[in-house]
Coordinates of all heavy atoms in Angstrom, one line a residue:
K1 N 6.6 -7.5 4.4 CA 6.0 -6.3 3.7 C 6.0 -5.2 4.7 O 5.6 -5.3 5.9 CB 4.6 -6.7 3.3 CG 4.5 -7.6 2.1 CD 3.1 -7.9 1.7 CE 3.1 -8.9 0.5 NZ 1.7 -9.3 0.2
V2 N 6.3 -4.0 4.2 CA 6.2 -2.8 5.0 C 4.9 -2.0 4.7 O 4.3 -2.3 3.7 CB 7.4 -1.8 4.7 CG1 8.7 -2.5 5.1 CG2 7.5 -1.4 3.2
S3 N 4.6 -1.1 5.6 CA 3.4 -0.3 5.3 C 3.5 0.5 4.1 O 4.6 1.0 3.8 CB 3.1 0.6 6.5 OG 3.1 -0.1 7.7
P4 N 2.5 0.6 3.3 CA 2.6 1.4 2.0 C 2.9 2.9 2.3 O 2.5 3.4 3.3 CB 1.2 1.3 1.4 CG 0.3 0.9 2.5 CD 1.1 0.1 3.5
L5 N 3.7 3.5 1.4 CA 4.1 4.9 1.5 C 2.9 5.7 1.0 O 2.7 5.7 -0.2 CB 5.4 5.1 0.8 CG 5.8 6.6 0.7 CD1 6.1 7.2 2.1 CD2 7.1 6.7 -0.1
K6 N 2.2 6.4 1.9 CA 1.0 7.1 1.5 C 1.3 8.5 1.2 O 1.1 9.4 2.0 CB -0.1 6.9 2.6 CG -0.5 5.5 2.8 CD -1.6 5.4 3.9 CE -2.0 4.0 4.1 NZ -3.0 3.9 5.2
I7 N 1.8 8.8 0.0 CA 2.0 10.1 -0.5 C 1.3 10.2 -1.9 O 1.2 9.2 -2.6 CB 3.4 10.6 -0.6 CG1 4.3 9.7 -1.5 CG2 4.0 10.6 0.8 CD1 5.7 10.2 -1.7
T8 N 0.9 11.4 -2.3 CA 0.2 11.5 -3.6 C 1.0 11.6 -4.8 O 0.6 11.2 -5.9 CB -0.7 12.7 -3.5 OG1 0.1 13.9 -3.2 CG2 -1.8 12.6 -2.5
D9 N 2.3 12.0 -4.6 CA 3.2 12.2 -5.8 C 3.8 10.8 -6.1 O 4.7 10.4 -5.5 CB 4.3 13.2 -5.4 CG 5.2 13.6 -6.6 OD1 5.3 12.8 -7.5 OD2 5.7 14.7 -6.6
E10 N 3.3 10.2 -7.2 CA 3.7 8.9 -7.6 C 5.2 8.9 -8.0 O 5.9 7.9 -7.8 CB 2.8 8.3 -8.7 CG 1.4 8.0 -8.3 CD 1.3 6.9 -7.2 OE1 2.2 6.0 -7.3 OE2 0.5 7.0 -6.3
K11 N 5.6 9.9 -8.7 CA 7.0 10.0 -9.1 C 7.9 10.0 -7.9 O 8.9 9.3 -7.9 CB 7.2 11.2 -10.0 CG 8.6 11.3 -10.6 CD 8.8 12.5 -11.4 CE 10.2 12.6 -12.0 NZ 10.5 13.9 -12.8
K12 N 7.6 10.8 -6.9 CA 8.4 10.9 -5.7 C 8.4 9.6 -5.0 O 9.4 9.1 -4.5 CB 7.9 12.0 -4.8 CG 8.7 12.1 -3.5 CD 8.1 13.1 -2.5 CE 8.5 14.5 -2.8 NZ 8.1 15.4 -1.7
K13 N 7.3 8.9 -4.9 CA 7.1 7.6 -4.3 C 8.0 6.6 -4.9 O 8.7 5.8 -4.2 CB 5.7 7.2 -4.3 CG 5.4 5.9 -3.6 CD 3.9 5.5 -3.7 CE 3.6 4.2 -3.1 NZ 2.2 3.8 -3.2
A14 N 8.1 6.6 -6.3 CA 8.9 5.7 -7.0 C 10.4 5.9 -6.7 O 11.2 5.0 -6.6 CB 8.6 5.8 -8.5
Q15 N 10.8 7.2 -6.6 CA 12.2 7.6 -6.3 C 12.6 7.1 -4.9 O 13.7 6.6 -4.7 CB 12.3 9.1 -6.5 CG 12.3 9.6 -7.9 CD 12.5 11.1 -7.9 OE1 11.6 11.9 -7.6 NE2 13.7 11.6 -8.3
I16 N 11.7 7.3 -4.0 CA 12.0 6.9 -2.6 C 12.1 5.4 -2.5 O 13.1 4.9 -1.9 CB 10.8 7.4 -1.7 CG1 10.9 8.9 -1.5 CG2 10.9 6.7 -0.3 CD1 9.8 9.5 -0.8
D17 N 11.2 4.6 -3.1 CA 11.3 3.2 -3.1 C 12.5 2.7 -3.8 O 13.1 1.7 -3.3 CB 10.0 2.6 -3.7 CG 8.8 2.6 -2.8 OD1 9.1 2.6 -1.5 OD2 7.7 2.6 -3.2
E18 N 12.9 3.3 -4.8 CA 14.2 2.9 -5.6 C 15.4 3.1 -4.7 O 16.3 2.3 -4.6 CB 14.3 3.8 -6.8 CG 15.6 3.5 -7.6 CD 15.7 2.1 -8.2 OE1 14.6 1.4 -8.4 OE2 16.8 1.6 -8.4
K19 N 15.4 4.2 -3.9 CA 16.6 4.5 -3.1 C 16.6 3.5 -1.9 O 17.7 3.2 -1.4 CB 16.5 5.9 -2.6 CG 17.0 7.0 -3.6 CD 16.9 8.4 -3.0 CE 17.5 9.4 -3.9 NZ 19.0 9.3 -4.1
L20 N 15.5 3.1 -1.4 CA 15.4 2.2 -0.2 C 15.4 0.7 -0.5 O 15.3 -0.1 0.4 CB 14.2 2.6 0.7 CG 14.3 4.0 1.3 CD1 13.0 4.3 2.0 CD2 15.5 4.2 2.2
K21 N 15.3 0.4 -1.8 CA 15.1 -1.0 -2.1 C 16.2 -2.0 -1.6 O 16.0 -3.1 -1.3 CB 15.0 -1.2 -3.6 CG 16.2 -1.0 -4.5 CD 15.9 -1.3 -5.9 CE 17.2 -1.2 -6.8 NZ 17.0 -1.4 -8.2
G22 N 17.4 -1.4 -1.4 CA 18.5 -2.3 -0.9 C 18.4 -2.6 0.6 O 18.8 -3.6 1.0
I23 N 17.7 -1.7 1.3 CA 17.5 -1.9 2.7 C 16.3 -2.9 3.0 O 16.3 -3.6 3.9 CB 17.3 -0.6 3.4 CG1 18.6 0.2 3.4 CG2 16.8 -0.8 4.9 CD1 18.6 1.6 4.1
H24 N 15.4 -2.9 2.0 CA 14.3 -3.8 2.2 C 14.7 -5.2 1.6 O 14.6 -5.4 0.4 CB 13.0 -3.2 1.4 CG 11.8 -4.0 1.7 ND1 11.3 -4.2 2.9 CD2 11.0 -4.7 0.8 CE1 10.2 -5.0 2.8 NE2 10.0 -5.3 1.5
I25 N 15.0 -6.1 2.5 CA 15.6 -7.4 2.1 C 14.4 -8.3 1.7 O 13.5 -8.5 2.4 CB 16.4 -8.0 3.2 CG1 17.5 -7.0 3.6 CG2 17.0 -9.3 2.8 CD1 18.3 -7.5 4.9
D26 N 14.6 -9.0 0.5 CA 13.5 -9.9 0.1 C 13.8 -11.4 0.6 O 14.9 -11.6 1.2 CB 13.4 -9.9 -1.4 CG 14.7 -10.4 -2.2 OD1 15.6 -11.0 -1.5 OD2 14.8 -10.1 -3.4
G27 N 12.9 -12.3 0.4 CA 12.9 -13.6 0.9 C 14.2 -14.4 0.5 O 14.9 -14.9 1.3
P28 N 14.5 -14.5 -0.8 CA 15.7 -15.2 -1.2 C 17.0 -14.7 -0.6 O 17.9 -15.4 -0.2 CB 15.7 -15.0 -2.8 CG 14.3 -14.8 -3.1 CD 13.7 -14.0 -2.0

């Protein structure tokens, strides 16, 4: 787990996480 992205704009936060999801490798 990475540290939570602490920004107030939820839409921007969702866009950032979507763009970086491939770099954040899950367990499987």
Side-chain angles (χ1 to χ4, degrees):
K1 288 178 181 176
V2 295
S3 306
L5 177 58
K6 295 179 179 178
I7 61 174
T8 54
D9 188 333
E10 290 296 326
K11 184 179 178 183
K12 179 187 278 192
K13 183 179 177 182
Q15 286 179 286
I16 289 171
D17 282 333
E18 177 63 25
K19 282 181 173 290
L20 295 177
K21 70 178 183 180
I23 291 180
H24 187 59
I25 303 172
D26 62 16

